[in-house]
Amino acid sequence: KVKELRAKAEGGDGTAMWKLGGFYEYGDYGLAKDDVQARAWYERSAATRDPRGIGSFGECLLCCIGGPKDNVLGLMNATEAAHLGSELGAYLLGQVFCKGMSGLSKDKARARFWLKKIVDSECKYKHLDEDG
């Protein structure tokens, strides 16, 4: 499965890149857990405009996964992903507004707006795990 997916990813398939990033992030399908590789594949996926890749790359930037924290670029990616229908993008925005993180002030109305999209199943791309 990894070999086929890697071939698709290396051929420019954004969804395959996002999936491969997940395999590295969680150490799935025989791959060693490697946050640096995960972040790199998410960034490549984001460059193809895959909403899940954009959201996952935003999370890496906001949470220091596989590299340095970058609040500005992380928020830009999370926002873009959320507007494209990414559940993870909406979740990230809901969290930063709820808690006043990443340089943003607390804003319960904006937090509720983004989190409600998840609860109401309005996001096209559902890629949150049970832990968010």
Side-chain angles (χ1 to χ4, degrees), residues 32-101:
K33 185 176 177 353
D34 185 335
D35 288 342
V36 173
Q37 280 292 313
R39 181 176 175 143
W41 281 110
Y42 290 148
E43 184 174 13
R44 289 177 71 184
S45 177
T48 71
R49 306 246 329 122
D50 182 284
R52 292 163 297 192
I54 297 168
S56 296
F57 183 50
E59 180 181 35
C60 289
L61 293 163
L62 291 171
C63 301
C64 303
I65 298 169
K69 184 172 189 159
D70 186 331
N71 284 333
V72 174
L73 190 55
L75 289 170
M76 287 175 58
N77 277 271
T79 301
E80 182 176 5
H83 282 287
L84 292 172
S86 162
E87 198 175 55
L88 178 58
Y91 174 79
L92 292 169
L93 291 178
Q95 288 299 301
V96 296
F97 281 120
C98 183
K99 297 178 181 178
M101 299 168 27

